[in-house]
Amino acid sequence: MKIAPSILAADLADLVSALAVCEQGGADLVHVDVMDGHFVPNLTFGPPMVQALARRTSLPLDIHLMVSNPESLLDEYLAADPAMVSVHWEASVHVDRLLTRIRDGGAQAGVVLNPATPIAVLAEILPVLDFVLLMSVNPGFAGQPFVPYVLDKVERLKRLIAERRLAVAVELDGGVSIENIARVAAAGVDISVAGSAIYSAADPVATIGELRRLAQEDLV
Ligand code: DX5
Ligand code: ZN
């Protein structure tokens, strides 16, 4: 399983240190939560900020766009040269067009579903996705409790991907912790985002390794 620390949960006045934690801990990706104060009730990182972050790390960026009208600033976020970009199904009118733009911009393209959005909405788009990001909290804030029914959703989505012989990765975001990552891994999650579990820990660097170890333990 890949581990993607969410820097939203770090000290936002010291993001260079937050990136150093990712690098020293051996993270696979850096998860960047973009919020617009409209689709979600919180505001975070604009394009110049994300481009500046990209210049400070060699790790690939995983940009999670929690914004209304994701088409409007998409090119500016793609200018940060991210490895992955995801848009919310609930916020996107022309999902297929957005995915094409993300791919043409050189990134892997994903669709995000809120906890209450059924996976059935992916029926047509699944074959053209690189990944699906399932929210295991309601988007907007770090540090919220895990929504348990999403694990069943992960298992059903993994089955669907296998049945259709697709190579779509499943990412899980929200409330993933030392306590539940073994169950997350058992459900088949390919990439886990973790914010507070890492940045609120006494030793954030060691916690990245511990999450990875607990995720692997379950699979052997
Ligand atoms: C929530 C964000 C998550 C969040 C994860 O809206 O999309 O990425 O930062 O933080 P934790 O792991 O603390 O729930
Ligand atoms: Zn996120």
Side-chain angles (χ1 to χ4, degrees):
M1 183 200 284
K2 290 185 176 175
I3 306 287
S6 165
I7 54 171
L8 176 66
D11 176 357
L12 294 175
D14 189 7
L15 289 173
V16 171
S17 297
L19 294 173
V21 164
C22 296
E23 281 167 22
Q24 288 162 24
D28 298 282
L29 297 147
V30 177
H31 185 81
V32 182
D33 287 307
V34 173
M35 304 186 184
D36 66 348
H38 185 265
F39 177 64
V40 290
N42 199 359
L43 265 177
T44 58
F45 314 117
M49 180 76 152
V50 177
Q51 290 165 19
L53 288 168
R55 286 193 290 272
R56 294 294 193 118
T57 182
S58 55
L59 284 175
L61 298 188
D62 167 30
I63 301 182
H64 173 192
L65 293 176
M66 284 163 277
V67 301
S68 303
N69 306 316
E71 60 279 2
S72 65
L73 282 174
L74 186 57
D75 291 342
E76 285 78 357
Y77 285 106
L78 286 167
D81 201 19
M84 298 164 65
V85 177
S86 53
V87 292
H88 269 261
W89 183 83
E90 302 85 359
S92 311
V93 182
H94 304 292
V95 178
D96 182 79
R97 180 186 290 152
L98 281 167
L99 296 171
T100 302
R101 280 180 61 192
I102 293 169
R103 281 243 186 71
D104 288 351
Q108 292 187 6
V111 165
V112 194
L113 302 184
N114 281 334
T117 304
I119 56 172
V121 301
L122 299 173
E124 313 305 326
I125 205 80
L126 202 57
V128 299
L129 288 175
D130 294 306
F131 67 104
V132 176
L133 173 44
L134 294 181
M135 292 306 300
S136 38
V137 297
N138 292 288
F141 306 94
Q144 303 179 85
F146 188 80
V147 175
Y149 66 75
V150 175
L151 281 183
D152 178 63
K153 199 172 166 185
V154 170
E155 286 174 6
R156 282 182 285 117
L157 177 58
K158 289 291 290 189
R159 268 203 301 277
L160 191 63
I161 291 167
E163 279 163 17
R164 294 177 65 174
R165 300 179 192 281
L166 299 171
V168 181
V170 176
E171 181 173 19
L172 193 69
D173 183 10
V176 175
S177 68
I178 292 284
E179 285 71 39
N180 63 20
I181 196 155
R183 273 178 286 141
V184 166
V189 167
D190 302 293
I191 308 166
S192 281
V193 177
S196 313
I198 292 169
Y199 289 105
S200 298
D203 187 341
V205 170
T207 302
I208 296 174
E210 182 69 359
L211 286 167
R212 191 190 300 285
R213 191 183 65 73
L214 289 166
Q216 277 163 1
E217 216 168 56
D218 188 79
L219 300 178
V220 288

